[in-house]
Amino acid sequence: MIKDNTLFGTITALVAVVVLAGTARADEAEKFYASASIGAGTLSSATLTFSDGVNTSTAGGRYDASFAGGGALGYRFDNGWTLEGELMYRRNELDPVSLAGLGDFNGGDFASLGFAVSALYRFDIGSSGKLRGYAGPGLVYLQEIDIDFDNGGEQEISFETDDTAWQLKVGGRYDFSERWFVDAAATYLAASSVRMKLPADTSQTIESDYDHLTLSLGVGWRF
């Protein structure tokens, strides 16, 4: 199971980078930036396929909108493109589900911790020079993605793996001071047929698509 303190440690580290960047000299090019963000995400309903190595069963997995958060480091090129590395934690609560051969569960969650590298093209919005939009694709390494099945608020069983995905990110940034900016973004991430294993018995697996839409707000510092 992905622990929440992993997320908060990540955000703390990114905020520290943002604060320390304030010591940079004012005459530097300010092409680098760091940002931290929080938001909410929706996870599309998908078929859950359980296998014990011999038999399989399926059920529909449905999820509530829930928390997402993380941060990014980026470099702005003079030609309008930006290369951005982003670490993002996503977690969605699972509705009650029954899977033959596995059990009946009244809850759980589907969560991931992913590192993305994106190529974003930025463009001016209006004539003030303070508001800019951006859009672009990215590749994602899901360092850990897991699904937990709970009863009475207690974890009964958990499946996990790592995987890859792609994402599309669009958003806008507003410069409210010389170096500080606020950021709003929508990120769609897609991973197909993610197969997660039971650590104690890798012959038992859960397979599901992972299609996630994240809406986030953040703050950042150029340095």
Side-chain angles (χ1 to χ4, degrees):
M1 179 178 180
I2 299 172
K3 303 296 186 182
D4 288 348
N5 58 10
T6 300
L7 167 67
F8 295 118
T10 298
I11 292 178
T12 299
L14 287 163
V15 171
V17 170
V18 170
V19 173
L20 290 173
T23 63
R25 300 192 310 273
D27 60 352
E28 289 184 342
E30 300 177 20
K31 292 184 179 294
F32 288 95
Y33 65 86
S35 64
S37 62
I38 59 173
T42 60
L43 183 60
S44 298
S45 299
T47 299
L48 298 173
T49 301
F50 168 69
S51 173
D52 62 7
V54 178
N55 301 305
T56 62
S57 61
T58 62
R62 294 177 174 81
Y63 308 90
D64 297 332
S66 192
F67 178 81
L73 292 170
Y75 181 83
R76 301 178 301 131
F77 295 93
D78 292 332
N79 59 5
W81 287 94
T82 295
L83 184 65
E84 181 179 276
E86 178 185 54
L87 191 65
M88 183 66 68
Y89 172 78
R90 299 169 170 91
R91 182 176 184 271
N92 292 85
E93 298 294 330
L94 173 67
D95 289 347
V97 64
S98 296
L99 277 161
L102 185 63
D104 302 327
F105 306 96
N106 60 20
D109 66 76
F110 203 174
S112 68
L113 180 66
F115 175 71
V117 176
S118 298
L120 305 174
Y121 186 76
R122 62 186 189 276
F123 49 90
D124 291 335
I125 300 176
S127 58
S128 68
K130 293 186 176 182
L131 180 61
R132 294 178 178 85
Y134 60 84
L139 296 176
V140 185
Y141 171 60
L142 297 170
Q143 185 272 333
E144 183 174 345
I145 179 168
D146 66 36
I147 188 165
D148 302 331
F149 297 94
D150 302 345
N151 272 318
E154 297 295 328
Q155 181 181 313
E156 293 286 335
I157 194 166
S158 179
F159 296 79
E160 63 184 47
T161 191
D162 56 16
D163 212 317
T164 57
W166 65 270
Q167 71 177 28
L168 178 64
K169 186 174 183 178
V170 297
R173 289 174 182 165
Y174 179 77
D175 298 334
F176 64 87
S177 73
E178 183 178 348
R179 293 197 176 189
W180 286 98
F181 62 85
V182 291
D183 181 282
T187 306
Y188 177 73
L189 179 147
S192 298
S193 301
V194 178
R195 180 172 293 179
M196 294 156 283
K197 299 178 180 179
L198 182 67
D201 180 2
T202 57
S203 68
Q204 298 190 50
T205 62
I206 288 282
E207 186 173 317
S208 175
D209 291 342
Y210 188 76
D211 297 333
H212 197 283
L213 176 64
T214 307
L215 302 178
S216 60
L217 290 173
V219 62
W221 178 274
R222 294 188 304 276
F223 58 99

